[in-house]
Amino acid sequence: MSPGPPLPRTGVTHTLRAMRVLVTGGAGFIGSHIADRLTADGHEVVLLDALLPQAHGGRAPEWISSHELVQGDVRDPEVLRRLLPAVDAVCHQAAMVGHGVDPSDGPDFASNNDLGTAVLLAAMHEAKVSRMVLAGSMVVYGEGRYDCPEHGVVRPGPRAFADIDAGRFEPLCPECGRDLVSGLVPESAQLDPRSTYAATKLAQEHLCSAWARQTGGTVWALRYHNVYGARMPRDTPYSGVASIFRSALERGEGPRVMEDGLQRRDFVHVSDVAAANALALAAEPTSTGFGAANVCSGEPHTILDLATELATAMNGPAPQVVGGARPGDVRHVVADPSYAKERLGFRAATGFAEGVAAFATDPLRSPAGLNA
């Protein structure tokens, strides 16, 4: 769901009053950082988290001990009816994330992400809570932006497994077969989810957009790019690539980098993501009430850059480039940060080298089996 062209205005306007904010998924990686940031900014937070055993070992992590926590499922309307009348806004971070294992994960992704969002939106309407910030994702774009010298901006189709097996990783122009140039993806780009998770994240945006139009409410969907930092989950099929690389290095193994390692991404530190949520909570709405904005560092790097930088910071073995690709993997997704800067006043503060060096020793969320 594109936010459309920017609205004319004289500058970024933010509401400064303190709010009581419900953070769903508040015990998790990003949600807990958002709670810390909002509290530091003078807001009051209440966290809702199911504390699923596979994620938390069934108990709350120590880093949320200073916040009010309600254990419950965002899909439970009774829990929401108790909480929402006392809040001014919602930061909706609760979700099932990652590539998953195989298509059998589909019902769980749809239930947690889409049903959960629909139940939450209905309860917000009932409680007359009109402002939400949604944890969106860059996966809604599929492949990033590509330019053909002859045909301009084009959308390459899915890469053939035969090409990947042969080491041909770059997508080609669907019109003439020529090499393409990867560029920055704006929020107005065509959306093309290529995994079950991606499809559910786009459905969340559609649900929020419809709700905003129907109710007059405001939703900012923040399309997170590759988030990393302290409290990341580790050693699960749903972990982010930074966590996977660090776990390998801690075992004394070089990170295994798929394809040729030259896939380009935007790695954004979790502290910057938390800052973007705080800004979006107070930002003026678009004409429809729904807006989507890239949350990124604006500093593109390759997957191999990340693996190499982390290996250096941890004094570990060099990365191993192993080829291949997972189903649903795309080649390049590099974000245009200008819309978030213009509409939200957001600009990332943590540089790549600084953030990765800190991540080498940051506390991570241990596998549930180690928390029991």
Side-chain angles (χ1 to χ4, degrees), residues 20-112:
R20 180 170 167 85
V21 182
L22 174 66
V23 183
T24 71
F29 167 39
I30 297 174
S32 64
H33 283 277
I34 292 170
D36 289 349
R37 176 57 188 254
L38 293 178
T39 300
D41 287 350
H43 300 292
E44 183 181 356
V45 299
V46 57
L47 313 185
L48 175 64
D49 201 295
L51 296 180
L52 296 177
Q54 60 267 39
H56 297 284
R59 66 187 185 195
E62 61 182 19
W63 52 69
I64 63 163
S65 59
S66 63
H67 300 300
E68 178 184 350
L69 171 68
V70 174
Q71 184 171 353
D73 195 312
V74 75
R75 294 167 293 184
D76 184 343
E78 293 304 318
V79 171
L80 297 175
R81 287 190 184 106
R82 292 200 305 270
L83 294 176
L84 284 170
V87 305
D88 302 298
V90 175
C91 270
H92 183 30
Q93 308 298 311
M96 182 175 176
V97 302
H99 270 278
V101 177
D102 57 45
S104 64
D105 281 332
D108 285 337
F109 275 114
S111 178
N112 282 279

Side-chain angles (χ1 to χ4, degrees), residues 2 72 112 119 160 175 244 251 266 275 280 289 303 317 324 353:
S2 168
N112 282 279
V119 172
E175 301 293 333
I244 292 170
R251 296 192 301 267
D266 188 301
I303 299 291

Side-chain angles (χ1 to χ4, degrees), residues 25 113 133 139 177 209 220 239 243 248 281 284 309-310 326 342 345 372:
N113 299 352
V133 177
V139 295
S209 176
W220 278 102
S239 298
S243 176
L281 270 176
E284 293 300 308
E309 192 81 23
L310 190 56
R326 299 175 298 181
E342 181 183 4

